[in-house]
Amino acid sequence: MRSRIIKNKLLLEGKTKKIYTTKNTFEVLIQYKDSITAFNGLKKKFIQDKGILNNEITTLIFKFINYCGIKTHFIRKINNREQLCHKVDMIPLEFVVRNIVAGSMSKRLGIKEGIQILNPIFEVFYKNDKLKDPLINDHHAVFLEIISYEELNTIYSILSNMNNILKKYFLDKNIILVDFKIEFGKNHKNEILLSDEISPDTCRFWDKKTMKKLDKDPFRIGLKKKEEILDIYMEILKRLNVS
């Protein structure tokens, strides 16, 4: 029988999650909040039970990724809002994998949204609120002493494998994986682990048949009410639960 996990001190609070220490030095408890944000937190809203949905969605996806042999920080779901995860020192970089042109890439390069990318594009953003998380390249990241070229190669290998796995995983559920953002951290053994979350907050999902957006893009552009946004997240969870 598993012992009850007790959260101790609040370690960190972000836009959509709180992280607590536990009795185990190498484990943390992650709690999902009922908030949705966009544009680096400039736009935000409280949506009742959204944290429950993101916790469940991320749990299902991380369990699948773990099963596929990719090492992640996820250990297990504790309750409807909380997960037990390996404690990691987060690498202050966000990695975006793009399969179809959308969002900031479309605006930045003046390319119409929806164009298929033959070879997935990896982008790196420096996590720095004061600088508004600028787009950088590998050489910048190494110059800033955030990461080494060897570690970047390891991460790109993980991302390539993960992207192939997830594209098929979602397509089987009539979802197109347009792009996704993910972060990595290092555990006490200095191993690089896939971290953060995978949900409609961090991915662009389009319906395979209708091309309807099944992520938080409708919130970004202000077209949806709270109930409609919640319905989108519930639809993703519903499809993930169908084997």
Side-chain angles (χ1 to χ4, degrees):
M1 184 177 177
R2 288 174 175 169
S3 59
R4 182 167 169 260
I5 303 297
I6 300 174
K7 60 181 178 241
N8 292 335
K9 184 177 68 174
L10 178 65
L11 190 63
L12 180 69
E13 181 170 3
K15 299 180 185 76
T16 59
K17 294 185 288 293
K18 292 181 180 180
I19 302 176
Y20 294 88
T21 61
T22 67
K23 289 184 178 180
N24 188 323
T25 307
F26 304 123
E27 295 177 353
V28 293
L29 190 144
I30 296 179
Q31 183 183 83
Y32 285 77
K33 298 159 59 177
D34 286 338
S35 55
I36 185 168
T37 68
F39 311 118
N40 288 324
L42 293 177
K43 184 176 184 179
K44 54 188 175 183
K45 185 177 286 189
F46 173 86
I47 300 180
Q48 184 70 42
D49 295 337
K50 175 184 167 290
I52 293 174
L53 293 172
N54 268 12
N55 182 31
E56 185 62 28
I57 290 168
T58 296
T59 291
L60 290 170
I61 298 171
F62 267 93
K63 284 174 74 174
F64 175 72
I65 292 173
N66 282 343
Y67 173 78
C68 291
I70 296 174
K71 291 185 177 181
T72 78
H73 73 157
F74 178 82
I75 299 173
R76 60 186 167 92
K77 176 182 164 185
I78 300 299
N79 55 47
N80 65 353
R81 287 189 180 275
E82 297 173 332
Q83 299 172 358
L84 182 67
C85 295
H86 297 291
K87 185 177 185 296
V88 297
D89 291 323
M90 296 299 293
I91 299 169
L93 298 172
E94 291 181 346
F95 293 87
V96 175
V97 179
R98 298 187 183 274
N99 298 307
I100 296 174
V101 175
S104 63
M105 181 180 175
S106 174
K107 295 175 184 177
R108 196 167 60 239
L109 301 180
I111 302 173
K112 185 179 178 181
E113 186 172 272
I115 294 176
Q116 188 79 34
I117 299 170
L118 296 180
N119 296 305
I121 293 173
F122 298 161
E123 293 179 342
V124 186
F125 293 83
Y126 178 31
K127 286 203 68 174
N128 186 309
D129 288 338
K130 290 182 180 179
L131 300 177
K132 299 181 180 179
D133 300 345
L135 173 67
I136 63 173
N137 62 36
D138 293 4
H139 306 300
H140 292 137
V142 174
F143 170 73
L144 291 169
E145 299 183 346
I146 294 171
I147 200 167
S148 69
Y149 287 114
E150 183 180 2
E151 289 169 334
L152 280 168
N153 287 335
T154 296
I155 285 174
Y156 289 142
S157 178
I158 294 170
L159 287 174
S160 181
N161 186 25
M162 175 184 169
N163 188 42
N164 289 332
I165 288 170
L166 288 183
K167 279 195 298 183
K168 184 179 185 306
Y169 173 75
F170 287 116
L171 204 57
D172 287 344
K173 302 172 190 304
N174 292 313
I175 300 168
I176 296 172
L177 179 60
V178 175
D179 59 40
F180 64 90
K181 173 190 75 69
I182 197 68
E183 298 178 35
F184 291 83
K186 293 181 182 178
N187 65 9
H188 67 286
K189 298 178 182 178
N190 209 39
E191 295 174 313
I192 293 176
L193 303 182
L194 188 72
S195 304
D196 197 30
E197 68 177 279
I198 303 175
S199 72
D201 278 7
T202 62
C203 303
R204 279 190 175 87
F205 297 131
W206 292 353
D207 181 82
K208 181 182 175 183
K209 297 178 182 177
T210 66
M211 306 303 281
K212 176 184 175 182
K213 295 181 178 182
L214 299 173
D215 49 58
K216 77 172 182 179
D217 258 0
F219 169 73
R220 286 188 180 100
I221 58 179
L223 295 181
K224 294 290 182 179
K225 298 178 182 178
K226 290 182 181 181
E227 296 78 10
E228 293 173 308
I229 295 168
L230 204 63
D231 285 345
I232 290 172
Y233 285 64
M234 290 175 68
E235 176 63 21
I236 289 294
L237 180 56
K238 177 184 173 182
R239 296 194 192 189
L240 295 186
N241 274 318
V242 176
S243 56

